[in-house]
Amino acid sequence: MLRDIFGQAVEAMRHNLRRTMITIIGMAWGIATVVLLLAYGNGFGKAIEAIFSQWGTNIMGTFPGKTSEQTGGSKAGVIIKFHLDDVERIMETVPGVLRATPVLWKQVPVKNDLHIFTWETDGVMPEIADVQKWEIAEGRFISADDVNARAHVAVIGPEAKDKLFGGVDVLGQTIRVSGIGFQIVGVLKPKMQEGDDNVNRIINIPYSTMSDIKDIKYPDGIWMSYQGNHTQVAQALRKTLGQSHGFKATDKTAIYVADIMEQLAQFQIITIALQVLLTFIGALTLGIAGIGLMNIMLVSVQQRTKEIGVEKALGARRRDILLQFLSEAMVITGVGGAGGMLLAWLVSVCVPRITFYSAIAKGGEAADIRLILSPTIVIVSTSILVLVGLVSGLVPALKASRLNPIDALRYE
């Protein structure tokens, strides 16, 4: 029976081939728009994840500030200073923290025999490489032995290498940081860098050796990696540091907590909202194609009124007529949908990436938007297509099934 119904639908489509092809093209264009819009939204989400993934998502930084709430006998406005003991305290008392490492920084002159620049120099521990996902392009990173020996070694960013030495091999070369000689033992791989961001030209030296440049008793910040819920870790962190430094855990200005997962979650909300909006726009576009299908089917019902009367006179039931015209609409929808899916796939293959983050960030090509098709997109698009096809075909099919056979036979 289904084969006969399908055959009738195909024969009806052949009878009005030009009209059918125009309708199929409209449906194909509509579903291709839906798929490409969803693929764009998916690519936007992946681009945001790529921006954050270069640093890692389960990391958190805390930096001292100034109290804004009175605590005990202390007035607001007390300047908070971290101590090295805070690193161990965080490791012991904050649940979920895997690593914690102090960081110092200062803008100082950095020069070699030919060039001089004022760049940020950071005093770091070996753990910082794992916490912030730093990768070595040449040489090695700072080791525990370097820290213990107060070694005058440096690991520099790729931009610092290019500006100081150009294409020359830098391993073993000496630079002067704030007038003090340091031997280069490593070069980091580049990170995505926005505008005047200095991430790729920072000079990293052992934390202990930083004492030649500034007081290392008070870290400028503490970075940590963790597992578990980021909100609970941040709350426990504020509580721990609040108890040791005498400020309330609710005092947001006493310390600043850089929660990468919280920032990522905010962007994910934007991504979801964008995908919903794009789905809505795509559904409207496909709906317009569905209106075209409905009009064509209504014309078909009108032209075949006498045929419907004959079928009913020969014993065809209302549901048979309904199924006949509904199947014709669904065949048109299915053929158009398959063509639209193929068109969307071809566009996604021919358009490798759409400039996004690389327009504002050096080395940001990995965070550009790509049209990423996924099984979820195919399922959502197909569901919308089937719904539009059913609604567009159901109205004409109901009209055809409700025709009075006697009036239909008299129709000229």
Side-chain angles (χ1 to χ4, degrees), residues 134-340:
W134 288 351
E135 296 182 27
I136 292 292
E138 302 175 40
R140 63 175 179 85
F141 195 67
I142 292 166
S143 66
D145 291 337
D146 294 331
V147 176
N148 294 332
R150 293 187 70 256
H152 284 71
V153 296
V155 176
I156 65 176
E159 185 180 343
K161 172 196 171 184
D162 293 340
K163 288 185 177 294
L164 287 170
F165 298 98
V168 177
D169 184 11
V170 299
L171 296 182
Q173 298 274 7
T174 299
I175 57 174
R176 300 193 70 81
V177 180
S178 192
I180 303 168
F182 285 83
Q183 184 183 48
I184 298 174
V185 296
V187 179
L188 296 174
K189 288 185 178 180
K191 297 278 191 181
M192 300 178 194
Q193 178 175 319
E194 296 182 25
D196 294 331
D197 190 6
N198 66 349
V199 63
N200 287 321
R201 57 177 180 264
I202 294 175
I203 309 298
N204 297 283
I205 64 175
Y207 189 92
S208 57
T209 316
M210 192 72 175
S211 61
D212 293 342
I213 299 174
K214 67 180 294 186
D215 188 355
I216 66 172
K217 183 179 179 181
Y218 305 107
D220 292 316
I222 300 172
W223 282 100
M224 63 208 79
S225 60
Y226 66 91
Q227 60 183 4
N229 185 282
H230 66 99
T231 302
Q232 294 176 355
V233 173
Q235 290 174 347
L237 176 65
R238 287 186 176 278
K239 182 179 179 181
T240 292
L241 293 177
Q243 290 174 347
S244 62
H245 291 276
F247 64 85
K248 294 181 180 178
T250 56
D251 191 341
K252 299 298 183 182
T253 65
I255 61 170
Y256 172 68
V257 177
D259 187 347
I260 305 301
M261 276 300 297
E262 182 181 9
Q263 297 174 23
L264 177 59
Q266 293 171 352
F267 277 102
Q268 286 174 335
I269 292 173
I270 296 174
T271 300
I272 292 172
L274 176 64
Q275 289 176 328
V276 171
L277 176 62
L278 294 177
T279 303
F280 179 71
I281 295 173
L284 287 179
T285 304
L286 187 57
I288 295 172
I291 292 173
L293 172 62
M294 184 185 298
N295 288 333
I296 292 299
M297 293 302 300
L298 286 171
V299 171
S300 178
V301 170
Q302 186 177 11
Q303 292 178 342
R304 295 160 61 187
T305 299
K306 198 165 188 176
E307 174 190 331
I308 296 169
V310 172
E311 290 181 359
K312 284 198 169 186
L314 294 174
R317 293 168 296 181
R318 287 183 59 181
R319 67 179 183 182
D320 296 329
I321 303 297
L322 176 69
L323 189 59
Q324 176 185 342
F325 281 88
L326 187 59
S327 63
E328 184 176 333
M330 294 308 295
V331 168
I332 294 174
T333 300
V335 174

Side-chain angles (χ1 to χ4, degrees), residues 395-411:
V395 174
L398 284 172
K399 181 180 179 180
S401 67
R402 291 172 180 173
L403 285 176
N404 186 293
I406 297 176
D407 294 337
L409 288 170
R410 289 176 180 172
Y411 183 82

